[in-house]
């Protein structure tokens, strides 16, 4: 995505002598030759780079059996996480890359996704396990194999980015433009081409924390689905600049009055909130936004739906309060249809 903090670049644009790759060179015999070969073949990888290289991801499509893995891989369409390294530096970049990997897997209809990883990389292993990767076996060189399949786990993290729609309540929730694209980077509007998505923790985590005070929000519970509605830009007609952009899955909800201390409240909001510590201090003192919703950023709608179309297709009416609006199953299904969501993202 242009202007995104994660870029898709040619291997030939990078140098294997960059200090970032030194651990890969020492861990993998022949890494430098492999890297140069990929450069000559015109292959590409995802990188995160600001002042220096901080993240690298190479994905490979496979449709073959593999005998150097125990137990053996039978022939199957798989997405291989070929090379993946992040310099954590205190943010949650890993989640951002995991979201990219799993979206790629679902959109391209792979049966499985797998990663080879050394046992010493425990933080990364824990991240993969959290998002549904299971230990499979090992390679001759001692690397461990973790596999993610399309098995339904009935767990919002392990099923991510797919969403479970049956038996779940659905809501529409508004967010101001100044917060929207920082929190939901893949849902940027065409009119925001100049918006530079920064390497900020609340941008890079798939877990978003939303604070609000709208009546009725106490109804939201774990597993519910929330359609994110970006409100109108100043001085523009809401009809054409208010837009449904994303679908999130609720992890859990809390009320600000449940926390005993300010520290506990700030720690809970963690890296997923866009608000700075000073703002959270103020919210705590005033108890002005009592409803706290922790949710996973599951789907960016391929086609954004402007308010005009939501009205025209009778998804909402002019009398509805779109700050917070309960949706029926048929309203939600209409949003999924209008948003042109790949049906592979829906667990029926």
């Amino acid at each position: 995505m242009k202007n995104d903090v994660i870029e898709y670049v040619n291997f030939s644009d990078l140098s294997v002598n960059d200090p970032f790759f030194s651990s890969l060179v020492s861990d993998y015999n022949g890494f430098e030759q492999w890297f140069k070969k990929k450069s000559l073949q015109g292959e590409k990888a995802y990188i995160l780079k600001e002042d220096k290289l901080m993240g690298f991801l190479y994905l490979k499509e496979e449709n073959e059996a593999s005998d150097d893995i125990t137990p053996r891989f039978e022939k199957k369409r798989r997405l291989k996480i070929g090379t993946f390294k992040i310099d954590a530096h205190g943010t949650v970049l890993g989640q951002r890359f995991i979201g990219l990997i799993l979206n790629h897997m679902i959109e391209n209809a792979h049966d499985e996704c797998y990663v080879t990883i050394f046992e010493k990389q425990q933080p990364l292993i824990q991240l993969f396990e959290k998002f549904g990767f299971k230990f499979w076996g090992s390679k001759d060189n001692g690397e461990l194999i973790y596999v993610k399949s399309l098995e339904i786990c009935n767990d919002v993290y392990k099923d991510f980015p797919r969403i479970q729609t049956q038996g779940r309540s659905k809501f529409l929730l508004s967010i101001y433009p100044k917060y929207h694209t920082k929190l939901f980077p893949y849902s940027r509007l065409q009119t925001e081409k100049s918006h530079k998505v920064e390497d900020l923790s609340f941008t890079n985590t798939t877990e978003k924390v939303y604070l609000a005070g709208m009546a009725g929000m106490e109804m939201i519970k774990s597993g519910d689905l929330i359609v994110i509605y970006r409100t109108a830009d100043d001085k523009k007609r809401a009809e054409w600049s208010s837009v449904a952009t994303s679908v999130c899955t609720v992890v859990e909800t809390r009320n600000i009055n449940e926390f005993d201390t300010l520290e506990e409240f700030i720690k809970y909001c963690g890296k997923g909130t866009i608000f700075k510590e000073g703002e959270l201090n103020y919210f705590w003192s005033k108890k002005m936004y009592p409803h706290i919703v922790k949710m996973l950023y599951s789907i960016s709608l391929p086609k954004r739906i402007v308010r005009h179309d939501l009205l025209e297709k009778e998804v909402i009416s002019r009398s509805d309060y779109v700050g917070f609006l309960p949706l029926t199953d048929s309203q939600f299904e209409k949003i999924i249809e209008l948003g042109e969501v790949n049906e592979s993202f829906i667990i029926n």
Side-chain angles (χ1 to χ4, degrees), residues 235-246:
K235 300 176 185 169
K236 288 191 180 176
R237 283 183 63 200
E239 194 94 348
W240 299 103
S241 71
S242 291
V243 191
T245 69
S246 324

Side-chain angles (χ1 to χ4, degrees), residues 196-209:
K196 173 75 168 76
V197 176
E198 301 163 80
D199 174 25
L200 301 166
S201 57
F202 51 76
T203 294
N204 289 316
T205 179
T206 55
E207 296 169 344
K208 308 297 177 182
V209 176

Side-chain angles (χ1 to χ4, degrees), residues 323-342:
F324 175 71
L325 179 68
L327 298 171
T328 63
D329 287 349
S330 59
Q331 283 173 307
F332 182 80
E333 284 160 17
K334 197 74 185 168
I335 288 169
I336 292 297
E337 182 191 324
L338 292 170
E340 298 180 0
V341 173
N342 182 327

